[in-house]
Amino acid sequence: MPTYIEGSGLPADVYSAKCPTREILDHIAGKWTVLIIDALADGTMRYTDLRHRIDGISQKMLTQTLRQLESDGFVTRTVHPTIPPRVDYTLTELGHSLRTPIAALREWIETNINRIEAARRAAAL
Amino acid sequence: MPTYIEGSGLPADVYSAKCPTREILDHIAGKWTVLIIDALADGTMRYTDLRHRIDGISQKMLTQTLRQLESDGFVTRTVHPTIPPRVDYTLTELGHSLRTPIAALREWIETNINRIEAARRAAAL
DNA sequence: CGGAATCCGCCTCGATACTG
DNA sequence: CAGTATCGAGGCGGATTCCG
């Protein structure tokens, strides 16, 4: 049984360019998005924690992606007015439910990496 | 138990920028990649089939993404030397095993779209 | 500490036109 | 039918500088 979009009544379908699901797919299906959601699976993390956990991410992309996740309602940003400042990032309930498919993707890559690399070498012929 | 990278012996870890898993994540985590893999889940499809199934994809992105998937060993490209030409795309065994996590992601979006839209409106305040 | 602001090269992506 | 070629806008992403 498909889900129907509130308002339009049309069935949810990522294959349809104008379906709201398409934009969400575009937001979620990104390298940094996946890594941040997955990193927050264990619980609250500070900005610097994330920066060090996710090797190779720049300040700009971290901030930018976090803002996107926040405005999509996946992540909560909490500012503690202390000196030095402290900002915590946590998954919302919605973001929490996204954990499972995201983690599944990461785990698939990690467990199959040797098969993948072998397939790439074979495909390169 | 983690997977270890053949050759280096290091544990597979997408959080590490230099780990080969990171590049694969970058290739897989994309709007078009997800849609193509998911579309091919049902079986072989021709170029034009894919073009019509995935609403809004340009010829360029379809060709480009298919080539990427092919060189990563997820998809097989078969050319039939007929007139008019016919090209079939099929998931390899590896690509087939990727179906599960990809479909899980698509399904999560489609079933939760109304929650997501509500959360976005709430986050926008 | 947790950003914001700015600059900038490059690559992505889409639109258009053309081809065997 | 299944692409290739080209172009141009925009976004990605890194580096740097500055701030409360």
Side-chain angles (χ1 to χ4, degrees):
Chain A
M1 53 208 341
T3 302
Y4 293 94
I5 307 296
E6 287 175 10
S8 74
L10 294 170
D13 178 20
V14 287
Y15 291 103
S16 173
K18 289 157 300 182
C19 180
T21 52
R22 176 67 72 86
E23 188 184 354
I24 300 302
L25 174 61
D26 200 22
H27 289 184
I28 292 176
K31 186 177 39 174
W32 302 131
T33 309
V34 167
L35 289 170
I36 290 174
I37 298 271
D38 192 69
L40 289 174
D42 296 330
T44 298
M45 291 191 100
R46 300 178 60 172
Y47 183 85
T48 311
D49 292 340
L50 287 166
R51 197 155 149 55
H52 286 89
R53 179 82 218 276
I54 302 170
D55 185 30
I57 197 170
S58 65
Q59 286 190 354
K60 182 182 174 180
M61 289 316 296
L62 180 54
T63 301
Q64 195 171 296
T65 310
L66 282 169
R67 295 285 195 259
Q68 169 98 275
L69 289 171
E70 192 191 359
S71 78
D72 280 340
F74 295 126
V75 161
T76 304
R77 178 171 182 267
T78 310
V79 182
H80 298 87
T82 55
I83 294 175
R86 174 199 175 104
V87 180
D88 287 338
Y89 291 94
T90 316
L91 291 181
T92 60
E93 204 181 325
L94 182 66
H96 207 70
S97 86
L98 181 50
R99 258 187 49 204
T100 310
I102 292 282
L105 190 62
R106 175 186 54 71
E107 283 162 15
W108 184 88
I109 295 174
E110 289 182 346
T111 66
N112 290 280
I113 185 62
N114 289 319
R115 276 179 73 197
I116 299 169
E117 292 294 318
R120 293 183 76 183
R121 285 191 295 271
L125 304 182
Chain B
M1 64 235 295
T3 302
Y4 293 93
I5 307 296
E6 286 175 10
S8 74
L10 295 169
D13 178 20
V14 287
Y15 291 104
S16 172
K18 288 157 299 180
C19 180
T21 52
R22 177 66 72 87
E23 188 184 355
I24 300 302
L25 174 60
D26 201 22
H27 289 185
I28 292 176
K31 185 178 36 173
W32 302 130
T33 308
V34 167
L35 288 170
I36 291 175
I37 298 273
D38 192 69
L40 289 174
D42 296 331
T44 298
M45 291 190 101
R46 301 177 59 172
Y47 183 85
T48 311
D49 292 340
L50 287 167
R51 196 156 149 52
H52 287 89
R53 180 81 221 273
I54 302 170
D55 185 31
I57 196 171
S58 65
Q59 286 191 350
K60 181 180 174 181
M61 290 315 297
L62 180 54
T63 301
Q64 195 171 298
T65 311
L66 282 169
R67 295 289 142 110
Q68 169 97 274
L69 289 170
E70 193 190 359
S71 78
D72 280 341
F74 295 126
V75 162
T76 303
R77 178 170 181 266
T78 309
V79 181
H80 298 87
T82 56
I83 294 174
R86 175 200 174 104
V87 181
D88 287 338
Y89 291 94
T90 316
L91 291 181
T92 61
E93 204 180 324
L94 182 66
H96 206 71
S97 87
L98 181 50
R99 259 188 49 205
T100 310
I102 292 281
L105 190 62
R106 175 186 54 72
E107 283 162 15
W108 184 87
I109 295 174
E110 288 181 347
T111 64
N112 290 280
I113 184 63
N114 288 319
R115 277 179 73 197
I116 299 169
E117 292 294 317
R120 292 182 77 182
R121 285 191 294 273
L125 306 181

